[in-house]
Amino acid sequence: MQIYRDTESILAAAAAYPDAQLRYLLALRIVSLGEDLPFLLQVLILQEGDTVADMSTALGLPCPATDRPDFCPPWEVIEAYGRWFDLTFVRGDDGAGVVVFVTDTADAELLAMCRRFAVPSLTVPSQS
């Protein structure tokens, strides 16, 4: 897992992250936020082997019990972009939030959760 906690590190990741599709997705997020980018508290990139528990710990949230009938997701939306999922968490009334990118090589349980709740991105076609 990689965690970017400020605007400068998020911009650096968008410019130099090894995966071209993720660089593209980070750039899209930066453009969409515009002047609100400083309110983005952090970006997490979950990679091969990262789990739901790892994500929950990093976010300071309990593990979501997605199999419960009263399940209420802690995220606003999960979007599917080819090999990546983009989970958006709003953490405050001021719009502050966290974006979590999950690669398709992450832990099977994490991927199953993403696939179950994801919506295809309607705003931009995925880039390979």
Side-chain angles (χ1 to χ4, degrees):
M1 177 183 323
Q2 295 177 319
I3 302 174
Y4 300 93
R5 298 183 192 280
D6 57 48
T7 301
E8 185 176 308
S9 65
I10 294 167
L11 292 171
Y17 198 82
D19 184 284
Q21 185 179 29
L22 186 58
R23 284 195 313 270
Y24 176 78
L25 294 174
L26 284 166
L28 284 177
R29 183 57 68 138
I30 290 165
V31 169
S32 73
L33 287 170
E35 293 177 5
D36 292 330
L37 181 60
F39 292 105
L40 183 62
L41 297 178
Q42 58 188 2
V43 170
L44 277 65
I45 301 173
L46 278 63
Q47 300 167 317
E48 186 172 351
D50 287 330
T51 66
V52 174
D54 295 333
M55 178 183 71
S56 297
T57 299
L59 293 171
L61 297 171
C63 272
T66 59
D67 58 343
R68 293 180 51 158
D70 62 342
F71 172 68
C72 180
W75 56 80
E76 297 299 312
V77 67
I78 300 177
E79 291 183 283
Y81 292 92
R83 296 184 330 271
W84 290 91
F85 293 93
D86 173 340
L87 292 75
T88 301
F89 294 82
V90 176
R91 302 292 294 248
D93 291 339
D94 62 355
V98 178
V99 175
V100 178
F101 292 99
V102 177
T103 182
D104 63 1
T105 59
D107 172 75
E109 179 186 9
L110 178 57
L111 284 175
M113 182 190 76
C114 288
R115 288 180 181 130
R116 178 177 174 201
F117 294 101
V119 296
S121 170
L122 300 176
T123 56
V124 177
S126 63
Q127 294 288 309
S128 300

